[in-house]
Amino acid sequence: SRTGESPEVLEFRCEELGVGRAGCDLTLPGKIVSRHHADFHVELDGTLRVTDRGSTNGTFLNGTRLRPDVATTVR
């Protein structure tokens, strides 16, 4: 969200969600978003993981850039 604005909350009821600029489950505008930027996956135990798909500008979790193609647990 932009400074001073409340974040937008979206609810998804799925086990996998692709995020990117085009052809994904969740499409985000902007030049910093790659065509297929990242994937979110919910494990059977409810653990949420995010995987960067080799995006040009990277995917960050708590300020740390994720390694491409490595699933990282979101806490």
Side-chain angles (χ1 to χ4, degrees):
S1 72
R2 294 184 188 123
T3 304
E5 292 183 9
S6 297
E8 185 174 352
V9 177
L10 303 173
E11 182 177 337
F12 294 92
R13 296 183 181 266
C14 55
E15 292 177 7
E16 295 188 32
L17 180 76
V19 178
R21 200 175 62 238
C24 293
D25 302 307
L26 176 60
T27 303
L28 300 174
K31 295 179 181 179
I32 65 169
V33 179
S34 291
R35 195 161 285 158
H36 187 178
H37 198 96
D39 291 324
F40 288 88
H41 179 80
V42 179
E43 302 289 339
L44 292 175
D45 66 0
T47 301
L48 176 63
R49 298 188 192 277
V50 61
T51 305
D52 178 85
R53 292 297 175 200
S55 62
T56 301
N57 293 301
T59 300
F60 291 80
L61 180 61
N62 297 325
T64 301
R65 187 175 182 154
L66 303 181
R67 292 185 6 218
D69 299 314
V70 175
T72 303
T73 300
V74 177
R75 290 185 172 52

